[in-house]
Structure formats: structure tokens, C-alpha cells
Amino acid sequence: MDKEKIKKAVRDILEAIGEDPDREGLIDTPDRIARMYEEIYGGINEDPKKHLEIFFQDEKHEELVLVKDIPFYSICEHHLVPFFGKAHVAYIPKGGKLTGLSKLARVVETVARRPQLQERITKIVADALVDVLNPYGVIVVVEAEHMCMTMRGVKKPGSKTITSAVRGIFEKDVAARAEVMSLINCK
């Protein structure tokens, strides 16, 4: 990441909106933004599948695994403003291939840490699990509030966007899909 280029660009933006980048409150802003970008865009060159490489092959568990309410923060690629919410990731292991529960959260975090679309986060997380774990099925549900709809444009705070990706057995087995959705929705 080119932090010097980011600092120059932020300084240019401050000048373009009519601010003085040398005033006391803004003097360190370009550096702060560059460091923040390094953190929030840390997933750009990272493969989310790498987090799924450690799994347990000898477990006999072939029942539902669900990690819900995984918080995430991302940046809308259309407006470069945040969107944030929760991801719910479920899969049914095949052949005892289990991954660590924290690995599911790391996959979500990695995918979210780049300029992004919510729909893409949902798809990439589901596909990563399918590609690495080869489970019987995967469901990923993402619900988020988009600041591009809250603080600008239509200005509808509190509105949520929900996306889902369904793979494997959950595509055809309505009862199995309904079970996961009911568990996601239970408090």
C-alpha cells in the first residue's frame, strides 16, 4: 500500500473541499487516513481460503455447524463509505472435514476488508467454504446497514440489506434450509 500517495490524495481532497490541510485539527489527518486505509483495506491482497486450511479430518461430525452474528465492517466500492452488519455462516461437513470456528469469522473479515459489495462478500465466503472444505452444503446470510443509504442519497437510517448464498444440499432440501434460517433468526 502506498501510504505517501494516500497522504497526498487526502491533502488534495481537503483542499478541494475548501479546507486548510495545515490547520491544527487537520494537520495529521492525511497520515491518520493512510494508516486507517492500511487497516481497513488489509484484505485486498489476501486470499480468504487461507484461513480454512486448518481443519480436523478425523471427526465423525456431519451435522450442521453455524456461527452467527459475526460482526463485520466494509467499504462500499461505489461511494467509499462504510457498511456494516453481521454475517451468519453455516455448513454441513462431509467426511469429518471441520474447520475451526474462528476461521469462519476470519474468512468474513478478510473478504470485508476491501472495497466491496455486500452481494460479493456473501458469494465469496460461501464459495471459499465449498472450495476448501467440500461440505454437503453451505449457507451464508449477510445483513448490513449501508451508510451510502443512511447519510446521503435516500437517507433511510436503520434500513438493512440482507443477502444470502446457498450451496449444495441447502439448494434442494427446503427443510434443511428452513432449519438453518430459523436458527439464524432465533435470539
Side-chain angles (χ1 to χ4, degrees), residues 30-94:
D31 184 58
R32 281 192 295 272
I33 297 292
R35 285 184 281 122
M36 178 185 70
Y37 280 9
E38 190 172 46
E39 180 181 340
I40 66 174
Y41 295 127
I44 287 177
N45 294 311
E46 189 176 339
D47 184 356
K49 293 177 188 176
K50 79 175 190 174
H51 298 295
L52 297 172
E53 291 176 4
I54 299 171
F55 47 84
F56 310 98
Q57 298 212 33
D58 297 330
E59 294 298 320
K60 302 298 182 225
H61 187 82
E62 290 192 344
E63 303 293 331
L64 179 68
V65 176
L66 166 64
V67 178
K68 62 186 238 175
D69 297 331
I70 302 167
F72 75 91
Y73 303 88
S74 193
I75 301 294
C76 165
E77 68 182 37
H78 296 136
H79 301 100
L80 295 181
V81 294
F83 66 97
F84 57 93
K86 299 181 284 188
H88 315 285
V89 179
Y91 74 105
I92 299 177
K94 185 190 300 182

Side-chain angles (χ1 to χ4, degrees), residues 86-111:
K86 299 181 284 188
H88 315 285
V89 179
Y91 74 105
I92 299 177
K94 185 190 300 182
K97 279 179 131 180
L98 292 171
T99 191
L101 300 176
S102 68
K103 305 303 182 192
L104 301 175
R106 289 188 191 282
V107 170
V108 171
E109 181 178 277
T110 297
V111 176

